[in-house]
Amino acid sequence: MKRYNRVLLKLSGESLMGAQQYGIDTNRLSDYARDIRAAVEMGTQVSIVIGGGNIFRGLKGATQGFDRVKGDQMGMLATVINSLALSSALSAVGVKNRVLTAIRMEPIGEFYTKWKAIEHLEAGEVVILSAGTGNPFFTTDTGSSLRGIELEADVMLKGTRVDGIYTADPEKDPTATKYDRITYDEIYRQGLKVMDLTATTMCMENDLPIVVFDMDTPGNLLRVLRGEPIGTYVSNSLSEQ
Ligand code: UDP
């Protein structure tokens, strides 16, 4: 019934905007919280990394004259804001959860260590891993790969607005077709924009598979966890899937 025991779910900051241009759509947040509750109820250990692109991105800030390191720190703080919002939405639907931070900032969250995170996961709590890697020049996709590998997750689930990886951008090219499965090698060869190169390389080198799927359709998270063939499964070898 359940394919994975421990997962790392990556949600982009932008997806939290819902139909808005900026900030947090509380309806979207509640949908996510209910889907995550269903995942926990089926016995899955769920850790989550959220981006901050709905509030601030360091790279964009740098083009507007912000110092890159300060801009990235602002971006990391944006992920903490989103994490607190998700934590609150999860508590509202009765899901026990913890916010851990990659940068020390008690009492907003506990300072992250692998062992603390695993202890909470094993106690059945959702763990929200905020502030990315804690370092500038990284993204939350890289933060997700890093935490997924550290926490020995079975898979990283990259919840997006599209339903998988396509041969080209489906919003621009109507002939684009979806991959059901693909290898990391092929992603490099085709130059497909799935995650940044640092994140992709970390997953490849440490053998962490990912599933790219449409998180905005309620129930999809559960479908992925049951092993239903939705989204695109990425791994080092097609035979292991
Ligand atoms: N960020 C960072 N280090 C990290 C993770 C994130 O400096 O380890 C900063 C960076 O400026 C990034 C911003 O936080 O642009 C928000 O994260 P991201 O762009 O990954 O969010 P998403 O695109 O998933 O919404």
Side-chain angles (χ1 to χ4, degrees), residues 147-214:
R147 297 302 186 225
I149 294 159
E150 277 188 276
L151 298 180
E152 300 166 45
D154 302 316
V155 70
M156 171 170 151
L157 306 177
K158 188 170 158 59
T160 67
R161 286 178 295 185
V162 281
D163 62 347
I165 302 171
Y166 281 76
T167 49
D169 184 346
E171 283 167 15
K172 292 185 191 141
D173 181 351
T175 65
T177 53
K178 183 167 88 73
Y179 292 99
D180 292 331
R181 23 172 96 178
I182 188 169
T183 61
Y184 287 113
D185 271 343
E186 199 59 26
I187 283 179
Y188 283 119
R189 247 197 307 274
Q190 308 266 350
L192 297 171
K193 305 259 176 302
V194 180
M195 302 193 292
D196 58 86
L197 286 177
T198 315
T200 309
T201 306
M202 282 206 68
C203 288
M204 184 170 99
E205 288 184 342
N206 294 281
D207 221 3
L208 177 69
I210 68 176
V211 178
V212 179
F213 73 105
D214 164 25

Side-chain angles (χ1 to χ4, degrees), residues 138-150:
F138 289 99
T139 62
T140 50
D141 278 345
T142 303
S144 308
S145 338
L146 175 65
R147 297 302 186 225
I149 294 159
E150 277 188 276

Side-chain angles (χ1 to χ4, degrees), residues 10-15 49-60 68-69 71-79 82 102 131-143 158 196:
K10 162 75 207 298
L11 301 172
S12 78
E14 270 179 6
S15 63
V49 168
I50 316 183
N54 55 326
I55 300 173
F56 199 86
R57 279 208 178 93
L59 200 55
K60 180 141 186 278
R68 173 69 194 268
V69 172
D72 280 340
Q73 289 171 337
M74 291 165 75
M76 286 186 268
L77 291 175
T79 74
N82 286 334
T133 63
N135 296 293
F137 297 97
F138 289 99
T139 62
T140 50
D141 278 345
T142 303
K158 188 170 158 59
D196 58 86

